[in-house]
């Protein structure tokens, strides 16, 4: 009999999977998608079989050691999806699979062997294994057994497994039961609101830090973790306990932060528009997709819910994707309310082991709906019938590391492979998606808000000429916005104030010599922070104390430019002393579930003014919010990126959509110095289609997506000249290839990236424009030829969402 071989991928950046021999004894179990234990150098790792009966390799190969599962871990459709990702984005297959399969399921995970009831008494090595396991309580890691018995055991254990004397399972390294006995610190008592915290922890910043760390860890953490890894001293821990804010416990439970959250019962009846949209979805050909283009407050969520219900009724499963799960507690609780235990919420707070558990439940069909952010597009929902992408225009749907996949495109591929229906929902669809409604995607509209509520009127305030109130420092504060806030407070209603710039001030400048404080590692100015005070780089996290004098001319007066949310908060506290103010940005929500706390406070009416960055623009549904103020609409308008206008439009339209969702109505005020920018004009008219039409024209020449497709090739490295030289070589290489194969691709560059340095690495890029098919050929070619070498790294970013 001739030898058979299999290709096995590992979660590593290897260009191609490794080949292993399939031992005869495992022949029937090695199929694509199964996990296999394979020797790699001197270790044993769990890999994934991606191909079988491949050609015999030239060199000698090792054997697959074991196949721990009875069923493949990855369905054929998910395996095919990973292959599509690797091919389309020019990524190593191992990394494409790594994006799909949770870390706890392969790589360094262990195989655990357990005795089954009635294990036969055996002689020889098998007998030794059985009695060793009996001594150990019936179960142990295979490698522990092998070490104890001082011999390789895969063979023997494989045989024991085949006669059902033992069972095997793969175990994520972090789910050790031993942690149950650990001492833990758990939050106690009522959670103070943000405002109460300021008093409570006034002179005790360390205690506040501990308190909020505990919150971020789900309300409880092991003492050891707090003291050893996080460096909290005994004193601060004891003080928190003494204040009654925390208590010592025993059991360590990694909590599901959504488990205790309130569920929302959905409205019983669909509106006519919702029914029409739902019927159109049901009429889609399996494998096809639709855009649910519904204005803010039009009830898109209920359409998703009912579509999921129909999929379940047809015996199929569903995936619902949201941009950021921490920001969308309302959507999650609506799904919980509708489907309860059918749902697996995949969120970033899950440990590897919990994620692996959720996977198993979904794979077996014990949970039929997965809700989560980007990576939940890979949830192994059995018999997938529906994929929903809420707020499909969000940039967070693009993965920021290799493989740089876009969730929308992966979802379309998966939907086709599994004959599932795809729904892309948004009030402000992306230009790309909109273009696909001419042919590929069916367009469904929800043109009206629920209950015939009007969209709120939007007033644009030209900061260059509008009357302003005094005493607000560098912050331009129009009389119009000021009186609108005063009136809202008087009526005991709520206002959202959007300022898409966190920190205290965007940068610090010397008024004499003009010097601007830059990050020493990145080509970007440092942001001024006041709570706590520091200069911070928002790219690399570099931090330094606030300077007292200019480092160039020693001038002592430093000027802050570009008001950020912290400064806005300070100003508002002074101007509206009676208002209860909360702030939501990356700095107040760095602990994991802090979004939810702030939003709950708003929902309960404990906050009058909510300040925030783009975080507050998303998906919130608060009927008592009657005013939305955009403090500075221009923060993102002049970024060197062709999507700057689109992003500004989306942000404005989305945040405007938070106003007037209740019977009291609402209004929106937008402060700007660019009142005639098309993004602002169309947003003020709530005219998404008008905006998309004009944006489409703008992107015709010079061509940008959706008129053409893009690939951004970015070289980075520590030496600027070397990086520039390599980028030039890359551009030549591309040009040569394009000539040789007569591809209709334009090469732009090489040029320094707008952010020319990040974390001490210089960055140059070459931008390719052309039809997607031609770019695809070039990407596949480049992925094979262009290897990283030395300290120079190449990133291939196909369909980039940002060119910075
Ligand atoms: P969107 O996501 O389109 O902005 P939502 O799905 O949040 O809108 O719905 C807006 C509000 O309307 C929510 O409070 C929701 O509960 C309510 N709603 C949705 N559909 C209905 C309906 N058919 N009847 C009554 N209320 C509804
Ligand atoms: Zn930096």
């Amino acid at each position: 009999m001739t030898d058979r071989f299999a290709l096995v991928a590992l979660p590593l950046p290897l260009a191609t999977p490794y080949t292993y021999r399939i031992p005869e004894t495992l022949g029937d179990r090695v199929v694509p998608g199964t996990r296999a234990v394979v020797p790699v150098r001197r270790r044993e790792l769990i890999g994934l079989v991606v191909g079988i009966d491949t050609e015999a390799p030239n060199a000698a190969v090792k054997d697959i050691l074991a196949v721990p599962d009875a069923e493949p871990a990855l369905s054929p459709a998910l395996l095919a999806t990973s292959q599509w990702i690797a091919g389309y984005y020019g990524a190593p297959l191992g990394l494409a699979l790594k994006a799909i399969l949770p870390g706890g399921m392969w790589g360094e995970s262990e195989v655990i062997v357990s005795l089954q009831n009635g294990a036969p008494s055996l002689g020889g090595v098998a007998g030794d294994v059985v009695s060793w396991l009996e001594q150990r309580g019936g179960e142990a890691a295979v490698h522990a057994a092998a070490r104890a018995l001082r011999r390789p055991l895969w063979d023997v254990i494989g045989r024991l497994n085949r006669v059902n004397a033992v069972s095997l399972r793969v175990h994520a390294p972090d789910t050790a039961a031993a942690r149950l006995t650990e001492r833990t610190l758990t939050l106690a008592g009522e959670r103070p609101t943000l405002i109460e915290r300021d008093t409570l922890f006034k002179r005790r910043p360390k205690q506040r830090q501990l308190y909020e760390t505990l919150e971020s860890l789900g309300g409880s953490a092991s003492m050891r973790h707090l003291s050893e890894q996080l460096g909290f001293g005994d004193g601060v821990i004891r003080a928190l306990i003494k204040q009654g804010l925390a208590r010592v416990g025993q059991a360590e439970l990694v909590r599901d932060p959504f488990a205790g959250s309130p569920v929302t019962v959905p409205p019983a009846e669909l509106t006519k528009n919702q029914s029409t949209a739902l019927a159109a979805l049901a009429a889609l050909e399996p494998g096809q997709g639709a855009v649910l283009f519904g204005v803010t407050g039009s009830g898109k969520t209920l359409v998703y819910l009912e579509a999921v219900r129909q999929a379940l009724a047809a015996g199929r499963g569903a995936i619902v994707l949201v941009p950021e799960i921490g920001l969308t507690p309302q959507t999650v609780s609506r799904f919980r309310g509708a489907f309860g235990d059918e749902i697996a919420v995949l969120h970033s707070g899950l440990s590897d082991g919990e994620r692996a558990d959720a996977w198993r439940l979904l794979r077996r069909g014990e949970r039929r709906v997965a809700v989560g952010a980007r990576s939940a597009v890979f949830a192994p929902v059995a018999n997938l019938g529906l994929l929903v992408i809420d707020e499909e225009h969000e940039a967070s749907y693009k993965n920021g590391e290799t493989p740089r996949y876009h969730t929308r495109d992966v979802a379309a591929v998966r939907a086709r492979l599994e004959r599932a229906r795809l729904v892309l929902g948004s009030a402000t669809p992306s230009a790309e998606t909109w273009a696909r409604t001419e042919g590929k995607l069916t367009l469904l509209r929800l043109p009206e808000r629920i209950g015939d509520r009007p969209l709120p009127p939007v007033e644009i305030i030209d900061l260059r000429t509008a009357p302003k109130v005094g005493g607000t420092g560098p912050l331009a504060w129009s009389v119009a916005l000021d009186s609108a806030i005063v009136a809202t407070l008087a009526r005991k209603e709520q206002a959202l104030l959007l300022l898409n710039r966190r920190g205290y001030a965007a940068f610090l400048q010397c008024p004499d010599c003009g010097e601007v404080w830059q990050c020493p590692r990145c080509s970007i100015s440092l942001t001024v922070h006041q709570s706590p005070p520091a200069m911070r780089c928002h790219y690399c996290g570099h931090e330094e104390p606030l300077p007292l004098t200019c480092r160039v001319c020693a001038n002592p007066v430093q000027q802050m430019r570009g008001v950020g949310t912290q400064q806005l908060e300070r100003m508002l506290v002074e101007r509206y002393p009676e208002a209860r103010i909360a702030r939501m940005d990356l700095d107040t929500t760095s602990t994991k579930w802090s979004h939810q706390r702030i939003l709950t406070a708003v929902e309960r009416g404990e906050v009058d003014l909510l300040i925030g960055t783009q975080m507050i623009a998303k998906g919130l549904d608060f009927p008592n919010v009657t005013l939305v103020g955009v403090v500075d609409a221009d923060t993102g308008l002049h970024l060197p990126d062709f999507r700057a206008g689109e992003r500004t439009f989306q942000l404005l339209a989305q945040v405007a959509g938070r106003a007037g969702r209740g019977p009291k109505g609402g209004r929106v005020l937008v402060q700007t110095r660019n009142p005639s920018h098309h993004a602002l004009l169309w947003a003020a008219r709530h005219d998404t289609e008008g905006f998309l039409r004009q944006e489409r024209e703008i992107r015709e020449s010079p061509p940008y997506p959706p008129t053409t497709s893009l690939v951004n090739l970015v070289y980075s490295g520590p030496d600027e000249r070397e990086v520039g030289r390599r980028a030039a070589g890359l551009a030549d290489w591309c040009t040569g290839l394009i000539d040789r194969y007569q591809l209709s691709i334009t090469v732009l560059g090489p040029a320094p990236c707008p952010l020319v340095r990040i974390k001490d690495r210089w960055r140059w890029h070459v931008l390719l424009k052309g039809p997607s098919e031609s770019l695809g050929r070039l990407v596949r070619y480049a992925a094979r030829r262009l290897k990283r070498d030395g300290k120079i790294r190449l990133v291939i970013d196909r369909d980039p969402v940002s060119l910075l």
Side-chain angles (χ1 to χ4, degrees):
M1 193 175 156
T2 55
D3 283 340
R4 295 174 59 212
F5 298 93
L7 284 175
V8 178
L10 291 158
L12 304 169
L14 303 166
T16 49
Y18 288 140
T19 303
Y20 289 91
R21 199 183 73 90
I22 306 174
E24 263 168 58
T25 49
L26 293 178
D28 51 334
R29 293 180 69 176
V30 177
V31 296
T34 18
R35 292 185 287 192
V37 182
V38 291
V40 181
R41 303 226 177 80
R42 303 185 56 194
R43 295 192 296 170
E44 289 171 358
L45 296 176
I46 300 178
L48 203 81
V49 177
V50 293
I52 56 167
D53 296 325
T54 48
E55 270 179 41
N58 296 326
V61 297
K62 296 178 179 163
D63 279 7
I64 289 177
L65 298 173
V67 173
D69 312 313
E71 297 273 312
L74 215 56
S75 65
L78 275 176
L79 190 59
T81 303
S82 73
Q83 274 148 349
W84 178 83
I85 290 176
Y88 186 87
Y89 295 101
L93 184 60
L95 292 188
L97 286 164
K98 192 176 169 200
I100 293 184
L101 206 60
M105 291 186 64
W106 59 324
E108 315 230 346
S109 289
E110 299 180 317
V111 180
I112 305 288
V113 51
S114 320
L115 280 179
Q116 297 296 83
N117 285 338
S121 50
L122 297 161
V125 184
D128 293 348
V129 171
V130 170
S131 51
W132 185 82
L133 280 172
E134 269 167 351
Q135 285 163 28
R136 303 272 312 212
E139 135 168 335
V142 174
H143 77 86
R147 221 178 20 234
L149 300 181
R150 293 163 192 243
R151 50 162 298 163
L153 289 179
W154 289 112
D155 228 24
V156 179
I157 285 175
R159 267 185 275 127
L160 284 168
N161 186 20
R162 234 176 317 270
V163 299
N164 290 325
V166 298
S167 66
L168 299 179
R169 75 190 147 83
V170 176
H171 175 89
D174 68 340
T175 45
R179 277 204 314 200
L180 279 176
T181 56
E182 257 182 353
R183 263 165 40 101
T184 58
L185 190 65
T186 306
L187 291 182
E190 283 276 296
R191 303 276 163 103
T193 63
L194 290 184
I195 305 133
E196 288 164 1
R197 273 168 213 210
D198 289 341
T199 355
L200 194 60
F201 297 111
K202 192 148 193 191
R203 270 176 295 277
R204 307 187 183 94
K206 227 20 209 185
Q207 280 185 39
R208 179 171 188 159
Q209 210 185 333
L210 173 59
Y211 190 88
E212 297 191 338
T213 303
L214 279 171
E215 278 186 317
S216 74
L217 297 170
S220 151
S222 88
M223 290 281 201
R224 205 165 43 89
H225 182 67
L226 290 172
S227 60
E228 285 173 20
Q229 261 109 7
L230 303 173
F232 288 103
D234 274 355
V236 67
I237 292 178
R238 269 203 304 274
L240 209 63
I241 296 169
K242 210 163 142 218
Q243 290 216 51
L245 292 168
R247 60 184 156 68
V248 180
Q250 275 299 328
E252 157 88 0
L253 285 170
V254 184
R255 245 186 34 185
D256 175 353
F258 288 101
S261 67
V263 297
T264 314
V265 180
E269 260 180 75
L270 296 183
T271 63
K272 192 154 167 297
N273 283 332
Q274 285 171 326
S275 312
T276 311
L278 188 66
L281 285 181
L284 279 183
E285 284 287 308
Q288 297 296 308
V291 177
L292 183 60
F293 172 40
V295 299
T296 53
S298 60
K300 293 185 284 296
T301 313
L302 192 57
V303 177
Y304 306 150
L305 281 175
E306 289 305 315
V308 171
R309 204 187 297 284
Q310 289 185 350
L312 294 180
R316 306 188 69 174
I319 295 176
V320 178
L321 301 169
V322 294
E324 253 178 274
I325 195 126
L327 287 178
T328 41
Q330 288 184 321
T331 310
V332 174
S333 71
R334 280 176 200 172
F335 277 89
R336 267 256 158 85
F339 303 112
D341 283 349
E342 292 278 16
I343 289 202
V345 182
L346 302 170
H347 56 81
S348 58
L350 296 179
S351 68
D352 272 358
E354 289 169 316
R355 194 171 297 271
D357 285 348
W359 251 66
R360 207 170 34 244
L361 292 173
L362 288 166
R363 181 102 174 88
R364 288 203 210 124
E366 291 171 28
R367 294 275 162 88
R368 296 193 297 158
V369 184
V371 179
R374 187 169 63 223
S375 63
V377 71
F378 303 121
V381 169
N383 197 5
L384 184 67
L386 178 73
L387 273 152
V388 173
I389 305 187
D390 190 23
E391 310 289 3
E392 69 84 27
H393 61 278
E394 284 286 338
S396 64
Y397 282 123
K398 171 91 169 168
N399 196 27
E401 55 188 48
T402 308
R404 292 169 186 266
Y405 65 86
H406 202 300
T407 309
R408 199 162 55 207
D409 299 312
V410 172
V413 168
R414 214 181 147 187
R416 254 196 324 275
L417 287 166
E418 308 208 29
R419 298 185 57 71
R421 297 182 172 93
L422 172 66
V423 184
L424 308 177
S426 178
T428 54
S430 62
E432 284 89 340
T433 294
W434 193 249
R436 280 181 210 154
T437 59
E438 294 157 11
K440 284 200 178 136
L441 297 167
T442 306
L443 179 59
L444 309 174
R445 292 167 201 267
L446 297 177
E448 287 147 24
R449 280 191 158 180
I450 294 290
D452 281 336
R453 287 191 188 120
L455 285 162
V458 178
E459 282 160 63
I460 292 188
I461 301 165
D462 184 349
L463 282 179
R464 297 168 307 181
T465 53
K468 292 185 215 47
V469 298
T472 56
L475 187 66
W477 205 244
S478 60
V479 171
L481 183 54
D482 187 61
S483 42
I485 291 176
V486 170
T488 305
L489 292 174
R491 290 194 308 265
K492 305 245 173 292
E493 292 164 3
Q494 295 168 298
L496 301 187
L497 294 173
L498 171 82
L499 177 57
N500 202 17
R501 188 190 284 137
R502 70 188 171 98
Y504 193 82
F507 58 94
L508 197 63
Q509 189 170 32
C510 175
D512 259 27
C513 74
E515 168 75 2
V516 170
W517 255 248
Q518 295 261 331
C519 174
R521 307 175 61 201
C522 310
S523 62
I524 191 162
S525 53
L526 290 173
T527 306
V528 184
H529 283 250
Q530 286 295 2
S531 45
M535 302 285 288
R536 284 213 195 107
C537 173
H538 286 179
Y539 271 86
C540 73
H542 167 85
E543 221 180 280
E544 55 186 74
L546 291 172
L548 297 173
T549 55
C550 175
R551 63 183 149 197
V552 177
C553 71
N555 186 322
V557 189
Q558 297 299 296
Q559 217 156 44
M560 297 189 198
R561 307 258 188 206
V563 173
T565 46
Q566 292 176 7
Q567 198 171 164
L568 176 64
E569 183 179 21
R570 183 169 293 188
M571 190 284 265
L572 293 180
V573 168
E574 274 168 30
R575 186 145 192 99
Y576 313 106
E578 73 286 9
R580 294 163 300 170
I581 298 172
R583 172 162 64 88
M584 191 158 124
D585 55 32
L586 262 186
D587 300 304
T588 58
T589 56
S590 53
T591 58
K592 226 168 235 154
W593 307 109
S594 32
H595 308 97
Q596 235 169 328
R597 276 178 1 241
I598 300 174
L599 296 177
T600 309
V602 177
E603 187 150 36
R604 289 200 195 124
E606 294 163 5
V607 171
D608 304 311
L609 298 179
L610 176 66
I611 307 169
T613 53
Q614 35 86 24
M615 279 185 184
I616 64 168
K618 293 175 193 174
L620 306 180
D621 185 28
F622 299 126
N624 200 38
V625 170
T626 56
L627 175 67
V628 164
V630 178
V631 175
D632 180 356
D634 311 338
T635 49
L637 220 41
H638 305 297
L639 292 177
D641 192 313
F642 71 94
R643 284 196 184 84
E646 185 182 7
R647 295 251 177 277
T648 299
F649 172 82
Q650 288 164 348
L651 183 62
L652 293 178
Q654 293 286 345
V655 78
R658 304 307 122 211
R661 293 171 78 96
K664 293 176 207 159
R667 60 195 286 227
V668 182
L669 298 181
V670 179
Q671 299 196 133
T672 177
R673 289 190 170 79
N674 294 277
S676 53
H677 194 286
H678 73 288
L680 273 72
L681 293 177
W682 292 113
R685 277 180 236 156
H686 299 291
D687 190 347
T688 302
E689 287 184 62
F691 171 78
L692 286 165
R693 226 174 9 249
Q694 185 171 355
E695 189 66 23
R696 180 75 182 262
E697 275 166 28
I698 294 172
R699 295 192 197 173
E700 259 156 34
S701 103
Y704 277 105
T707 308
T708 186
S709 293
L710 297 180
V711 171
N712 198 20
L713 301 170
V714 182
Y715 261 123
S716 70
D719 182 69
E720 185 178 17
R721 286 195 25 223
E722 173 72 6
V723 170
R725 206 176 51 74
R726 293 292 298 274
L730 176 64
D732 289 345
W733 183 84
C734 289
T735 310
L737 214 60
I738 289 162
D739 288 348
R740 178 143 37 105
Y741 295 103
Q742 310 228 313
L743 303 172
S744 52
I745 295 177
T746 318
V747 179
L748 298 175
C753 296
L755 277 167
V756 70
R757 194 164 60 127
I758 295 180
K759 294 188 197 178
D760 279 333
R761 296 181 72 85
W762 295 89
R763 306 166 71 239
W764 279 64
H765 67 155
V766 174
L767 190 63
L768 307 175
K769 279 186 182 180
S772 193
E773 300 71 44
S774 313
L775 290 175
R777 285 182 65 188
L778 199 139
V779 162
R780 279 190 296 280
Y781 209 78
R784 264 181 277 129
R785 292 301 151 90
L786 303 172
K787 299 274 144 57
R788 96 180 258 165
D789 71 274
K791 295 198 165 100
I792 305 268
R793 260 203 307 260
L794 173 67
V795 163
I796 301 175
D797 192 359
R798 186 163 184 191
D799 306 331
V801 298
S802 161
L803 297 180
L804 297 179

